Amino acid sequence: MEVNELYEMLRKMQEPKGYFFSRDKEWVLDILRGLLTNKERYGYMSCPCRLASRDREKDKDIICPCVYRAPDVEEYGSCYCNLYVSKEWNEDKIPHVYVSERRPPEKNPI
């Protein structure tokens, strides 16, 4: 799959749910490239902003869209990666602040 194809597919799936790509399209395309790289590397699209263990079961919480996206967007207007954001975030109606990592440290493969 090519990055622009992934962009369109995910956009059509996620926007009706209220999740929008950041208006910084170059950033979004970089993250999507990372997802595609991880799909080749691990067989699943793990979040490129986090370390994957190479074990799908252990990483199921960080397969994009990760389980942390909804609470992140609800609290901050953006997910941890700034890939998915709220409409208000894209329109600068809410501040763009650092999104704290929600993934428990014990889940990191280090």
Side-chain angles (χ1 to χ4, degrees), residues 4 12 37 56 70 78 86-87 89 93-94 97 99 108:
N4 289 315
K12 288 177 186 172
T37 297
R56 185 184 186 96
S78 171
S86 67
K87 186 177 179 188
W89 193 92
K93 292 182 179 174
I94 59 174
V97 297
V99 178
N108 288 324

Side-chain angles (χ1 to χ4, degrees), residues 9 20 23 29 37 43 50 58 68 77 85 94-95 100-101 104 108-109:
M9 182 185 78
F20 300 86
R23 66 177 182 228
L29 294 177
T37 297
R50 296 176 166 106
K58 288 180 182 175
Y68 311 107
V85 301
I94 59 174
S100 298
E101 172 64 279
N108 288 324

Side-chain angles (χ1 to χ4, degrees), residues 10 17-18 25 49 52 55-56 61 74 88 97-98 103:
L10 292 176
K17 299 175 186 177
K25 192 164 183 184
C49 301
D55 179 326
R56 185 184 186 96
D61 63 321
E74 171 122 2
E88 295 78 16
V97 297
Y98 175 77
R103 190 175 203 217

Side-chain angles (χ1 to χ4, degrees), residues 48-98:
C49 301
R50 296 176 166 106
L51 288 175
S53 68
R54 298 183 180 266
D55 179 326
R56 185 184 186 96
E57 187 58 30
K58 288 180 182 175
D59 292 337
K60 67 183 179 183
D61 63 321
I62 59 167
I63 294 174
C64 191
C66 73
V67 300
Y68 311 107
R69 177 187 68 173
D72 283 352
V73 172
E74 171 122 2
E75 183 175 346
Y76 300 102
S78 171
C79 72
Y80 183 67
C81 296
N82 297 132
L83 175 64
Y84 288 110
V85 301
S86 67
K87 186 177 179 188
E88 295 78 16
W89 193 92
N90 263 344
E91 294 173 350
D92 289 326
K93 292 182 179 174
I94 59 174
H96 297 188
V97 297
Y98 175 77

Side-chain angles (χ1 to χ4, degrees), residues 18-29:
Y19 298 104
F20 300 86
F21 283 138
S22 166
R23 66 177 182 228
D24 183 347
K25 192 164 183 184
E26 282 310 308
W27 176 256
V28 169
L29 294 177

Side-chain angles (χ1 to χ4, degrees), residues 10-50:
L10 292 176
R11 186 185 63 74
K12 288 177 186 172
M13 289 171 52
Q14 300 302 322
E15 282 185 2
K17 299 175 186 177
Y19 298 104
F20 300 86
F21 283 138
S22 166
R23 66 177 182 228
D24 183 347
K25 192 164 183 184
E26 282 310 308
W27 176 256
V28 169
L29 294 177
D30 282 345
I31 297 293
L32 295 180
R33 284 184 198 98
L35 288 172
L36 291 171
T37 297
N38 285 347
K39 180 154 175 70
E40 285 178 33
R41 189 179 288 157
Y42 309 127
Y44 51 93
M45 290 196 299
S46 67
C47 173
C49 301
R50 296 176 166 106

